[in-house]
């Protein structure tokens, strides 16, 4: 586990990532609990990145686990590079196997997916987590899961910086609720393209109207939502530049394994594009804010967590943003990667 963490950190530094939120810290799917590894690495100075551990919510249990989450959070108190003040709740599955929670049945096959936690109980759990100062980090893919997560945040404190990740489908009336509730939209832009999973396993089963609700980044921006952005790595590529490319173009990056797919060059819902400034801010200042990191902005008094690219992405044609590569990565002024 120690070797895996150091290896992962080295890889992420090579992509210009100086900090992250680990979305599953706990025993899950046969994996050992990573909390002791993070704590020992932070104490020994091996963990140089700024990391927040999202403690895994066991959906087979209820509020009885909150006391142990409080104890686990306390184990990381006082560490410079690691904290554990977030709790990850996975509310539904994914569209490709019809486990994403949707409001109307899937086309062709029926069914409305899974809500892993009863929505009524979910509100109780989130209210108690919020009262104990935890940030709640939701996995929500389908529009019903997004609505259930938003409903659970009614009455919670924006100071805890709650966020919902993935947000593949949002029913349009729920878009303004992010800003109204002070909930951050945690984007994984890399997925918002035409590729085999989207064209063959998603669009035919969502139907035309619901397909148009996918990854509504521009609608969220217009409604005043706050953004952060990430990758869900190792599920998909961790490279922020590739994600920024898709946020701006809504097409596959030229270096992607999907780039040869027949419709890869056709923009996916192009009206939902973001500017490069907005996308880059989500990956930098936005993600630093969600993690309560002092970095993420270049100004006097901030830590020098900096990345040097081999070219200026703002000077490139938008279709070539993906070609920019990291040359140097610094954390607190220390060079942690050099190409």
């Amino acid at each position: 586990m120690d070797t895996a963490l150091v290896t992962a950190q080295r890889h992420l530094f090579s992509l210009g990532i100086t900090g992250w939120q680990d979305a599953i810290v706990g025993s899950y799917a046969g994996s050992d609990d990573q909390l002791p590894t993070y704590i020992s690495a932070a104490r020994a100075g091996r963990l140089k990145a700024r990391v927040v551990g999202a403690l895994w919510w066991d959906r087979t249990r209820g509020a009885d686990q909150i006391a142990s989450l409080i104890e686990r959070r306390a184990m990381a108190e006082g560490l410079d590079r690691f904290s554990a003040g977030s709790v990850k709740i996975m509310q539904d599955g994914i569209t490709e196997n019809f486990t994403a929670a949707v409001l109307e049945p899937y086309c062709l096959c029926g069914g409305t997916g899974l809500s892993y936690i009863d929505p009524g109980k979910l509100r109780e759990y989130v209210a108690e987590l919020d009262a104990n100062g935890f940030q709640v980090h939701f996995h929500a893919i389908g529009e019903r899961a997004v609505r259930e997560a938003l409903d659970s945040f009614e009455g919670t404190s924006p100071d805890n910086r709650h966020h919902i990740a993935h947000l593949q489908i949002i029913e349009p009336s729920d878009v303004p609720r992010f800003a109204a509730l002070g909930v951050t939209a945690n984007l994984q832009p890399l997925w918002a393209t035409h590729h085999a999973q989207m064209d063959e396993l998603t669009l035919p089963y969502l139907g035309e109207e619901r397909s148009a609700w996918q990854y509504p980044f521009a609608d969220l921006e217009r409604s005043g939502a706050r953004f952060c952005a990430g990758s869900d790595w190792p599920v998909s590529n961790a490279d922020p530049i590739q994600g920024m490319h898709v946020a701006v173009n809504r097409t596959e990056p030229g270096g992607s394994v999907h780039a040869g797919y027949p419709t890869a060059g056709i923009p996916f819902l192009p009206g939902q594009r973001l500017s490069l400034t907005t996308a880059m801010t989500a990956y930098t200042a936005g993600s630093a804010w969600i993690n309560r990191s002092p970095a993420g902005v270049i100004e006097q008094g901030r830590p020098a967590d900096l990345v040097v690219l081999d070219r200026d992405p703002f000077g490139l044609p938008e279709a070539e943003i993906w070609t920019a590569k990291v040359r140097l990565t610094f954390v607190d002024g220390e060079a942690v990667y050099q190409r």
Side-chain angles (χ1 to χ4, degrees), residues 9 29 50 57 76 113 132 141 145 159 199 216 245 248 300 325 333:
Q9 178 177 247
R50 305 179 196 278
W57 180 269
N132 279 284
I141 294 281
D159 292 342
D199 290 358
H245 176 98
V248 173
Q300 187 173 358
K325 305 297 180 192

Side-chain angles (χ1 to χ4, degrees), residues 260-289:
Y261 188 70
T263 57
I266 299 174
F268 180 72
L269 302 174
Q272 299 298 338
R273 291 178 171 130
L274 297 176
S275 70
L276 180 56
T277 296
T278 297
M280 187 174 288
T281 301
Y283 275 97
T284 54
S287 293
W289 184 88

Side-chain angles (χ1 to χ4, degrees), residues 92-102 104-116 141-142 144 197 200-206 210:
D92 70 342
I94 58 174
T95 58
E96 290 85 357
N97 65 5
F98 321 121
T99 57
V102 294
E104 298 294 334
Y106 286 96
C107 302
L108 306 178
C109 65
T112 56
L114 302 173
S115 292
Y116 288 128
I141 294 281
R144 190 178 83 236
Q197 284 179 230
E200 299 170 19
L201 299 179
T202 300
L203 296 180
Y205 298 93
L206 293 183
R210 189 163 45 197

Side-chain angles (χ1 to χ4, degrees), residues 11-12 15 17 190 230-234 236-242 283:
H11 172 65
L12 297 175
L15 300 175
I17 296 168
L190 194 67
S231 67
D232 208 36
W233 182 76
S236 57
N237 192 334
D239 189 346
I241 296 171
Q242 306 287 304
Y283 275 97

Side-chain angles (χ1 to χ4, degrees), residues 27-321:
S27 300
Y28 172 73
S31 173
D32 291 336
D33 181 13
Q34 310 96 317
L35 184 62
T37 302
Y38 272 120
I39 290 172
S40 64
R43 286 176 176 161
R46 290 188 299 275
L47 183 66
K48 296 182 180 296
R50 305 179 196 278
V51 181
V52 172
L55 303 176
W56 182 249
W57 180 269
D58 183 350
R59 56 183 179 256
T60 67
R61 299 172 59 191
D64 60 295
Q65 65 189 289
I66 293 177
S68 66
L69 293 172
I70 293 170
E71 292 175 0
R72 285 164 62 75
R73 177 177 61 184
M75 293 168 61
E77 286 181 0
L79 297 175
D80 181 41
R81 298 297 169 92
F82 181 74
S83 63
S86 187
V87 172
K88 171 67 178 293
I89 298 177
M90 189 169 179
Q91 182 59 8
D92 70 342
I94 58 174
T95 58
E96 290 85 357
N97 65 5
F98 321 121
T99 57
V102 294
L103 292 169
E104 298 294 334
Y106 286 96
C107 302
L108 306 178
C109 65
T112 56
L114 302 173
S115 292
Y116 288 128
I117 301 173
D118 175 83
K121 293 180 180 178
L122 185 66
R123 291 189 187 209
E124 297 174 15
Y125 302 156
V126 170
E128 189 169 346
L129 288 168
D130 179 74
N132 279 284
F134 280 106
Q135 173 191 88
V136 178
H137 171 172
F138 268 105
H139 162 119
I141 294 281
E143 74 272 18
R144 190 178 83 236
V146 173
R147 180 171 292 178
E148 290 166 354
L150 289 168
D151 288 347
S152 77
F153 286 134
E154 293 280 359
T156 60
S157 173
D159 292 342
N160 288 329
R161 307 190 186 190
H162 304 305
H163 52 122
I164 306 176
H166 310 326
L167 301 170
Q168 181 168 346
I169 314 168
I170 307 178
E171 201 279 329
S173 67
D174 285 323
V175 168
R177 298 180 67 198
F178 285 81
L181 293 170
V183 174
T184 298
N186 183 339
L187 311 181
Q188 283 66 59
L190 194 67
W191 302 339
T193 69
H194 283 288
H195 50 269
Q197 284 179 230
M198 177 62 73
D199 290 358
E200 299 170 19
L201 299 179
T202 300
L203 296 180
Y205 298 93
L206 293 183
E208 185 175 354
E209 180 182 31
R210 189 163 45 197
S211 291
W213 299 345
Q214 293 187 86
Y215 305 113
F217 302 158
D219 288 347
L220 285 163
E221 183 181 29
R222 284 188 288 266
S223 74
R226 181 188 287 271
F227 288 154
C228 65
S231 67
D232 208 36
W233 182 76
V235 172
S236 57
N237 192 334
D239 189 346
I241 296 171
Q242 306 287 304
M244 291 177 209
H245 176 98
V246 175
V248 173
N249 292 279
R250 304 285 288 209
T251 57
E252 285 289 316
S256 166
V257 295
H258 302 298
Y261 188 70
T263 57
I266 299 174
F268 180 72
L269 302 174
Q272 299 298 338
R273 291 178 171 130
L274 297 176
S275 70
L276 180 56
T277 296
T278 297
M280 187 174 288
T281 301
Y283 275 97
T284 54
S287 293
W289 184 88
I290 209 71
N291 281 346
R292 299 184 184 274
S293 167
V297 177
I298 301 175
E299 64 183 25
Q300 187 173 358
R302 299 269 191 170
D305 291 11
L306 304 171
V307 180
V308 180
L309 303 180
D310 64 354
R311 65 203 75 182
D312 178 5
F314 291 93
L316 293 171
E318 288 183 342
E320 297 178 15
I321 291 170

